[in-house]
Amino acid sequence: MDSHPKLWERKTSICPLQGKKMAYQKVNADLRTSGHSQYLDNDDIQATALDLEWDMEKELEEPGFDQFQPDNAETQNLGHSETLDLHLDSIQPATSPKGRFQRLQEESDYATHYTRSTPKSNHCNFCYLLKIICTATILFIFGILIGYNAHTDCPPDTTLSRSNDPQLYKDILKTIKAEDIKKSFRNLVQLYKSKDDMEISKKIKTHWTALGLEDTQLMNYSVLLDFPGPSPGTITVSSTGQCFFPDGQPCREEARKDHSQDLLSSYAAYSAKGTLQADVIDVSYGTADDFKRITKLKNTTNQIALLKLGKLPLLYKLSLLEKAGFGGALLYTDPCDVPTSEDLSSETFMVTLNPGGDPSTPGYPSLDGSFRQSRPNLTSLLVQPISASFAKKLIGLPKLRMDNDACSPLELPYNEKRTIHLQVQTVTEFKAVFNVVGYLKGLTSPDRYIIVGSNHHAGYNYNGQEWASSTAIITAFIQALMLRVKKGWRPERTIVFCSWGGTTWGNIGSYEWGEDFTKILQNNAVAYISLHSPVRGNTSLHPVASPSLQQLVLEKSKFNCSRRAQCPGTNVSSVQIQGDADYFINHLGVPTVQFAYEDIKALEGPSFLSEAIFPKHATKMEEVDPSFNLHEAITKLSGEVILQIASEPVLPFNALDIALGVQNSLKGGEPSVPYLLAKASRLRESAELFQSDEMRPANDPKERAASRVRMLNDILQDLEKNFLVEQVPPGFYRNILYHLDGKTIQFSILKEAWEHCSPLASNETFQEALSDVLNSINSAQVSFKAGLDVFENVLVEKN
């Protein structure tokens, strides 16, 4: 199987004989077949026509006709009208666009320049002239009939029609129906039976191919995955000798059989393996303040941390635990942070400790023959997720305290000691991860890619069905799109549809594909639209977008909210998100969009709770969105953004919003850095000049020039690459335009360096963070200036 998609291949088909071009073709004598005897049934007329053709050939060979003769004229024979196959691409632009007869008819001065000798007889001259008139009349009528029939038989020349017509977008999207998405969702749930994703990947590929998607490929990578061991992890309380499973059930065979699937799903992928007996120390959310407080009061060496998920990336908090000398960690979600509509207190969950991609091939694709590093675990800590109810039992609370809807967070009393024996078992093995990738080639810019990503694997033995929502949505959009493509329409740029495998273990499928084609994607990827976990609640629309795309997303969101009541106060933000967008944001600097429905309570609570992967059954998904209207809304919102980015002549990216975002990220934070603020102010001035001098004319069809539009788009799609930094804390985005949550606007790396480290001007870590921000701003300003200089040089050359 060819694992390399033909990103550079372009196929174009042009309908023969369209419009006025029909009149420009030479009508050959071969058309006078028996099938057309109703027009040329007189032998004399046929013979005369042949003589005329011969005479014309002689005259065309005389001096003065060379400029009209195509270089490959001898090979351009129309043949019989029943099998006309004339390709307009074969006509050389340097030759005359008119056929011989048509050209002679239109050139009135032909007779004065190329007259024949006077005929010997007036009678012969009259007869000869009559034959010419009759033949020309018959051929003229014959040509009209052929042109009319050919025009009616061919489909309309949609390649010449505008592909960025807003009404066309509406016509495409109106075919998307909630009931169709619901049916697709249920079919996908029934198909998913196996532990690996090969079966479902093949089904998706077959379905996409049947819908008409071009060049659909099934790509696989052999990667290192981490699975639960033969038995679940256990926690034994030393004071009582009681043994518990992660959900709080006693370690009895009956409990294990009753909850075998959920228990095996409760693990941390790529955790260290083994056993540890130690004291439990409550570190709350594991923030910088929490660690400063704990390390001053207690010895943390080889102890076990009781850690809440949320507020900060899990990988970052675990790195702080390692630095503090901890030996293990029990992870849980505080019930006060979870929406009351979701009773997850007794549920176990999975997390991954993999920052992204195949752990055995970090930074390069997992191809046959690649060097494999030995990395069975990605941390020195023994990490075990537990349910909130078991955390409460471990703390010693009789019940979860809920007084008048006021939730009391779980907390282990400082003066109480808990010693436990922790056992963690996982098994690593190499398995194949599959991606499904299909292409809809662009019309005018097939080398520019809008990537749309969903995922199709929920993890080992999971009943979770969020992947089915994601896959049903992307399939519904493909179906609507291909209905229009079959009528002749195409977007200007290529749309790449991807269904990723291995998402649960650290976005492995998307990372490996991205690393496999990184050189092409660095230059040609325009945008990424994420469909990861699109329906998580039903009360509020939560769009996330790169700064350059926020204006476009806000316009679409407001329009959608004008028709619905489920998104009050919709706000677009650039915050870190879960899912396969990670590689495209952090390694390629590609502008990204994601729409999702959430519960307002979840949006108001701590960020990064979605790092916990809870099994969500199909029945639960249909309870959240029983009519699948939310699924339909996500499909149409995402689809409209995809169509506009893929079809607009000028990319709908707002360069000024990037500069404004940089300024806002430097205001109100501690400490104030005047020279960075001054640099950001100059960046804004450059962005304003770029926006007014280049983007405004390019968006005006009367002033638009194709070469300038191409250069402008190249600058716009590369702007975010200036804000990729090399070194960031674990779990933080390398793209510093994204924030940890929607509540803080300061650059994440500056905020972390200032809070975690000693706030001194000489602090090396903080100075490095300042340098990263400064270099990013300077790089963006250089890009704006270089773009303006290029456009100015082009204008000078033209003048």
Side-chain angles (χ1 to χ4, degrees), residues 177-213:
K177 304 296 181 184
E179 53 268 26
D180 295 333
I181 301 175
K182 186 174 185 178
K183 182 179 179 181
S184 177
F185 171 85
R186 290 178 172 177
N187 289 337
L188 288 166
V189 170
Q190 293 299 319
L191 286 174
Y192 189 72
K193 302 293 182 183
S194 61
K195 294 181 180 179
D196 59 41
D197 62 356
M198 185 165 116
E199 180 183 347
I200 189 64
S201 300
K202 289 182 176 179
K203 295 288 186 181
I204 294 172
K205 178 183 181 297
T206 301
H207 193 183
W208 288 6
T209 302
L211 292 175
L213 198 59

Short mmCIF file of all heavy atoms in Angstrom, two decimals, residues 177-213:
data_model
loop_
_atom_site.label_atom_id
_atom_site.label_comp_id
_atom_site.label_asym_id
_atom_site.label_seq_id
_atom_site.Cartn_x
_atom_site.Cartn_y
_atom_site.Cartn_z
N LYS A 177 -28.68 17.11 7.33
CA LYS A 177 -29.85 16.92 8.18
C LYS A 177 -29.49 16.16 9.45
O LYS A 177 -28.69 15.23 9.42
CB LYS A 177 -30.95 16.14 7.42
CG LYS A 177 -31.37 16.78 6.10
CD LYS A 177 -32.02 18.15 6.31
CE LYS A 177 -32.47 18.76 4.99
NZ LYS A 177 -33.02 20.12 5.18
N ALA A 178 -30.13 16.56 10.56
CA ALA A 178 -29.84 15.95 11.86
C ALA A 178 -30.17 14.46 11.86
O ALA A 178 -29.42 13.65 12.44
CB ALA A 178 -30.63 16.67 12.95
N GLU A 179 -31.27 14.10 11.20
CA GLU A 179 -31.66 12.68 11.22
C GLU A 179 -30.65 11.80 10.50
O GLU A 179 -30.43 10.64 10.88
CB GLU A 179 -33.06 12.50 10.63
CG GLU A 179 -33.26 13.10 9.24
CD GLU A 179 -33.79 14.52 9.28
OE1 GLU A 179 -33.55 15.21 10.30
OE2 GLU A 179 -34.44 14.93 8.31
N ASP A 180 -30.01 12.36 9.45
CA ASP A 180 -28.98 11.59 8.74
C ASP A 180 -27.74 11.39 9.61
O ASP A 180 -27.13 10.32 9.60
CB ASP A 180 -28.60 12.31 7.44
CG ASP A 180 -29.75 12.37 6.45
OD1 ASP A 180 -30.62 11.47 6.51
OD2 ASP A 180 -29.78 13.30 5.62
N ILE A 181 -27.37 12.42 10.38
CA ILE A 181 -26.22 12.30 11.27
C ILE A 181 -26.52 11.28 12.38
O ILE A 181 -25.66 10.48 12.75
CB ILE A 181 -25.86 13.67 11.87
CG1 ILE A 181 -25.54 14.67 10.76
CG2 ILE A 181 -24.69 13.55 12.84
CD1 ILE A 181 -25.29 16.08 11.26
N LYS A 182 -27.73 11.30 12.89
CA LYS A 182 -28.11 10.36 13.93
C LYS A 182 -28.07 8.92 13.42
O LYS A 182 -27.57 8.02 14.11
CB LYS A 182 -29.53 10.69 14.43
CG LYS A 182 -29.98 9.86 15.62
CD LYS A 182 -31.32 10.36 16.13
CE LYS A 182 -31.74 9.62 17.41
NZ LYS A 182 -33.02 10.14 17.93
N LYS A 183 -28.54 8.72 12.22
CA LYS A 183 -28.50 7.38 11.63
C LYS A 183 -27.06 6.92 11.43
O LYS A 183 -26.71 5.77 11.73
CB LYS A 183 -29.24 7.39 10.29
CG LYS A 183 -29.29 6.03 9.60
CD LYS A 183 -30.07 6.12 8.30
CE LYS A 183 -30.10 4.77 7.58
NZ LYS A 183 -30.84 4.85 6.29
N SER A 184 -26.22 7.82 10.94
CA SER A 184 -24.81 7.49 10.75
C SER A 184 -24.14 7.17 12.07
O SER A 184 -23.34 6.23 12.19
CB SER A 184 -24.09 8.65 10.06
OG SER A 184 -22.72 8.39 9.91
N PHE A 185 -24.47 7.94 13.11
CA PHE A 185 -23.91 7.72 14.45
C PHE A 185 -24.25 6.32 14.95
O PHE A 185 -23.38 5.58 15.43
CB PHE A 185 -24.45 8.78 15.41
CG PHE A 185 -24.13 8.54 16.85
CD1 PHE A 185 -22.92 8.95 17.38
CD2 PHE A 185 -25.04 7.90 17.70
CE1 PHE A 185 -22.62 8.74 18.72
CE2 PHE A 185 -24.75 7.69 19.03
CZ PHE A 185 -23.53 8.11 19.55
N ARG A 186 -25.50 5.95 14.82
CA ARG A 186 -25.92 4.62 15.29
C ARG A 186 -25.26 3.50 14.50
O ARG A 186 -24.89 2.45 15.06
CB ARG A 186 -27.44 4.51 15.22
CG ARG A 186 -28.16 5.38 16.25
CD ARG A 186 -29.68 5.28 16.12
NE ARG A 186 -30.35 5.96 17.22
CZ ARG A 186 -31.67 6.09 17.33
NH1 ARG A 186 -32.47 5.59 16.37
NH2 ARG A 186 -32.20 6.70 18.36
N ASN A 187 -25.10 3.70 13.21
CA ASN A 187 -24.44 2.69 12.39
C ASN A 187 -22.98 2.52 12.81
O ASN A 187 -22.46 1.40 12.87
CB ASN A 187 -24.51 3.06 10.91
CG ASN A 187 -25.92 2.92 10.35
OD1 ASN A 187 -26.74 2.18 10.89
ND2 ASN A 187 -26.20 3.64 9.29
N LEU A 188 -22.31 3.63 13.11
CA LEU A 188 -20.92 3.56 13.53
C LEU A 188 -20.78 2.84 14.87
O LEU A 188 -19.84 2.06 15.08
CB LEU A 188 -20.33 4.97 13.62
CG LEU A 188 -20.08 5.68 12.29
CD1 LEU A 188 -19.84 7.17 12.51
CD2 LEU A 188 -18.89 5.05 11.58
N VAL A 189 -21.70 3.11 15.77
CA VAL A 189 -21.65 2.45 17.08
C VAL A 189 -21.80 0.94 16.93
O VAL A 189 -21.12 0.16 17.59
CB VAL A 189 -22.75 3.01 18.00
CG1 VAL A 189 -22.88 2.17 19.27
CG2 VAL A 189 -22.46 4.46 18.35
N GLN A 190 -22.67 0.52 16.03
CA GLN A 190 -22.87 -0.91 15.81
C GLN A 190 -21.66 -1.56 15.15
O GLN A 190 -21.36 -2.73 15.39
CB GLN A 190 -24.11 -1.13 14.93
CG GLN A 190 -25.41 -0.75 15.60
CD GLN A 190 -25.68 -1.58 16.86
OE1 GLN A 190 -25.44 -2.78 16.90
NE2 GLN A 190 -26.17 -0.92 17.90
N LEU A 191 -20.95 -0.79 14.33
CA LEU A 191 -19.79 -1.35 13.62
C LEU A 191 -18.61 -1.59 14.55
O LEU A 191 -17.79 -2.48 14.32
CB LEU A 191 -19.35 -0.40 12.50
CG LEU A 191 -20.23 -0.36 11.25
CD1 LEU A 191 -19.73 0.73 10.31
CD2 LEU A 191 -20.20 -1.70 10.53
N TYR A 192 -18.50 -0.78 15.61
CA TYR A 192 -17.28 -0.79 16.41
C TYR A 192 -17.31 -1.97 17.38
O TYR A 192 -18.01 -1.96 18.38
CB TYR A 192 -17.16 0.52 17.17
CG TYR A 192 -15.82 0.67 17.85
CD1 TYR A 192 -14.68 0.91 17.10
CD2 TYR A 192 -15.71 0.57 19.23
CE1 TYR A 192 -13.46 1.05 17.70
CE2 TYR A 192 -14.48 0.71 19.84
CZ TYR A 192 -13.36 0.95 19.07
OH TYR A 192 -12.15 1.09 19.68
N LYS A 193 -16.54 -3.01 17.08
CA LYS A 193 -16.53 -4.21 17.91
C LYS A 193 -15.14 -4.59 18.39
O LYS A 193 -14.99 -5.17 19.47
CB LYS A 193 -17.12 -5.39 17.12
CG LYS A 193 -18.55 -5.17 16.62
CD LYS A 193 -19.54 -5.09 17.77
CE LYS A 193 -20.97 -4.92 17.25
NZ LYS A 193 -21.94 -4.77 18.34
N SER A 194 -14.11 -4.31 17.59
CA SER A 194 -12.79 -4.85 17.87
C SER A 194 -11.99 -3.95 18.81
O SER A 194 -12.34 -2.80 19.04
CB SER A 194 -12.01 -5.04 16.56
OG SER A 194 -11.83 -3.79 15.93
N LYS A 195 -10.88 -4.49 19.33
CA LYS A 195 -10.03 -3.74 20.24
C LYS A 195 -9.11 -2.78 19.50
O LYS A 195 -8.66 -1.80 20.07
CB LYS A 195 -9.17 -4.70 21.08
CG LYS A 195 -10.00 -5.55 22.03
CD LYS A 195 -9.10 -6.47 22.86
CE LYS A 195 -9.91 -7.33 23.80
NZ LYS A 195 -9.06 -8.24 24.60
N ASP A 196 -8.79 -3.06 18.25
CA ASP A 196 -7.99 -2.11 17.48
C ASP A 196 -8.90 -1.42 16.47
O ASP A 196 -10.08 -1.74 16.34
CB ASP A 196 -6.82 -2.80 16.77
CG ASP A 196 -7.27 -3.89 15.83
OD1 ASP A 196 -8.28 -3.69 15.12
OD2 ASP A 196 -6.62 -4.96 15.79
N ASP A 197 -8.34 -0.45 15.76
CA ASP A 197 -9.19 0.38 14.91
C ASP A 197 -9.11 0.02 13.44
O ASP A 197 -9.55 0.79 12.60
CB ASP A 197 -8.84 1.86 15.10
CG ASP A 197 -7.41 2.18 14.70
OD1 ASP A 197 -6.65 1.27 14.35
OD2 ASP A 197 -7.06 3.37 14.75
N MET A 198 -8.57 -1.14 13.09
CA MET A 198 -8.43 -1.49 11.69
C MET A 198 -9.79 -1.70 11.03
O MET A 198 -10.04 -1.22 9.92
CB MET A 198 -7.58 -2.74 11.53
CG MET A 198 -7.30 -3.10 10.09
SD MET A 198 -5.97 -4.29 10.01
CE MET A 198 -6.75 -5.66 9.36
N GLU A 199 -10.68 -2.38 11.70
CA GLU A 199 -11.99 -2.68 11.11
C GLU A 199 -12.77 -1.41 10.84
O GLU A 199 -13.30 -1.21 9.75
CB GLU A 199 -12.78 -3.60 12.05
CG GLU A 199 -14.16 -3.96 11.51
CD GLU A 199 -14.95 -4.82 12.49
OE1 GLU A 199 -14.34 -5.33 13.45
OE2 GLU A 199 -16.17 -4.98 12.29
N ILE A 200 -12.84 -0.52 11.84
CA ILE A 200 -13.62 0.69 11.65
C ILE A 200 -12.95 1.60 10.63
O ILE A 200 -13.63 2.31 9.87
CB ILE A 200 -13.82 1.43 13.00
CG1 ILE A 200 -14.82 2.57 12.84
CG2 ILE A 200 -12.52 1.94 13.55
CD1 ILE A 200 -16.22 2.15 12.49
N SER A 201 -11.62 1.58 10.57
CA SER A 201 -10.91 2.40 9.57
C SER A 201 -11.28 1.97 8.16
O SER A 201 -11.50 2.81 7.28
CB SER A 201 -9.39 2.29 9.78
OG SER A 201 -9.02 2.73 11.06
N LYS A 202 -11.32 0.68 7.93
CA LYS A 202 -11.68 0.17 6.60
C LYS A 202 -13.12 0.55 6.25
O LYS A 202 -13.41 0.89 5.09
CB LYS A 202 -11.50 -1.34 6.56
CG LYS A 202 -10.05 -1.80 6.56
CD LYS A 202 -9.95 -3.31 6.45
CE LYS A 202 -8.50 -3.76 6.37
NZ LYS A 202 -8.38 -5.24 6.29
N LYS A 203 -14.01 0.50 7.24
CA LYS A 203 -15.40 0.87 6.99
C LYS A 203 -15.51 2.35 6.61
O LYS A 203 -16.25 2.72 5.70
CB LYS A 203 -16.25 0.59 8.23
CG LYS A 203 -16.35 -0.88 8.59
CD LYS A 203 -17.23 -1.65 7.63
CE LYS A 203 -17.44 -3.08 8.09
NZ LYS A 203 -18.28 -3.86 7.15
N ILE A 204 -14.77 3.18 7.30
CA ILE A 204 -14.79 4.62 6.99
C ILE A 204 -14.25 4.87 5.60
O ILE A 204 -14.82 5.65 4.82
CB ILE A 204 -13.99 5.40 8.06
CG1 ILE A 204 -14.68 5.31 9.42
CG2 ILE A 204 -13.82 6.86 7.64
CD1 ILE A 204 -13.87 5.89 10.56
N LYS A 205 -13.14 4.24 5.26
CA LYS A 205 -12.56 4.41 3.93
C LYS A 205 -13.55 3.99 2.84
O LYS A 205 -13.74 4.70 1.84
CB LYS A 205 -11.28 3.60 3.81
CG LYS A 205 -10.63 3.67 2.42
CD LYS A 205 -9.40 2.78 2.34
CE LYS A 205 -8.73 2.88 0.96
NZ LYS A 205 -9.61 2.41 -0.12
N THR A 206 -14.19 2.85 3.04
CA THR A 206 -15.16 2.37 2.05
C THR A 206 -16.32 3.34 1.89
O THR A 206 -16.76 3.63 0.77
CB THR A 206 -15.69 0.98 2.47
OG1 THR A 206 -14.59 0.07 2.57
CG2 THR A 206 -16.69 0.45 1.46
N HIS A 207 -16.78 3.87 3.00
CA HIS A 207 -17.91 4.81 2.97
C HIS A 207 -17.52 6.10 2.26
O HIS A 207 -18.26 6.61 1.41
CB HIS A 207 -18.38 5.09 4.40
CG HIS A 207 -19.71 5.80 4.46
ND1 HIS A 207 -20.29 6.21 5.63
CD2 HIS A 207 -20.56 6.17 3.47
CE1 HIS A 207 -21.43 6.80 5.37
NE2 HIS A 207 -21.63 6.80 4.07
N TRP A 208 -16.37 6.65 2.60
CA TRP A 208 -15.93 7.90 1.96
C TRP A 208 -15.71 7.71 0.46
O TRP A 208 -16.05 8.58 -0.33
CB TRP A 208 -14.64 8.39 2.62
CG TRP A 208 -14.83 8.94 4.00
CD1 TRP A 208 -15.99 8.93 4.74
CD2 TRP A 208 -13.85 9.58 4.82
NE1 TRP A 208 -15.79 9.52 5.95
CE2 TRP A 208 -14.48 9.93 6.04
CE3 TRP A 208 -12.51 9.88 4.66
CZ2 TRP A 208 -13.80 10.57 7.07
CZ3 TRP A 208 -11.83 10.52 5.68
CH2 TRP A 208 -12.46 10.86 6.88
N THR A 209 -15.16 6.58 0.10
CA THR A 209 -14.95 6.30 -1.32
C THR A 209 -16.28 6.21 -2.05
O THR A 209 -16.44 6.72 -3.17
CB THR A 209 -14.16 5.00 -1.51
OG1 THR A 209 -12.90 5.11 -0.81
CG2 THR A 209 -13.90 4.72 -2.97
N ALA A 210 -17.27 5.56 -1.42
CA ALA A 210 -18.59 5.44 -2.03
C ALA A 210 -19.25 6.80 -2.21
O ALA A 210 -20.03 7.01 -3.16
CB ALA A 210 -19.47 4.52 -1.18
N LEU A 211 -18.95 7.74 -1.33
CA LEU A 211 -19.51 9.08 -1.45
C LEU A 211 -18.86 9.88 -2.58
O LEU A 211 -19.38 10.94 -2.95
CB LEU A 211 -19.35 9.84 -0.13
CG LEU A 211 -20.17 9.33 1.06
CD1 LEU A 211 -19.82 10.09 2.32
CD2 LEU A 211 -21.66 9.42 0.78
N GLY A 212 -17.73 9.39 -3.11
CA GLY A 212 -17.08 10.04 -4.23
C GLY A 212 -15.80 10.77 -3.88
O GLY A 212 -15.21 11.43 -4.75
N LEU A 213 -15.35 10.68 -2.63
CA LEU A 213 -14.12 11.36 -2.24
C LEU A 213 -12.94 10.76 -2.98
O LEU A 213 -12.78 9.55 -3.06
CB LEU A 213 -13.93 11.25 -0.73
CG LEU A 213 -12.96 12.24 -0.09
CD1 LEU A 213 -13.42 13.68 -0.34
CD2 LEU A 213 -12.87 11.99 1.41
#
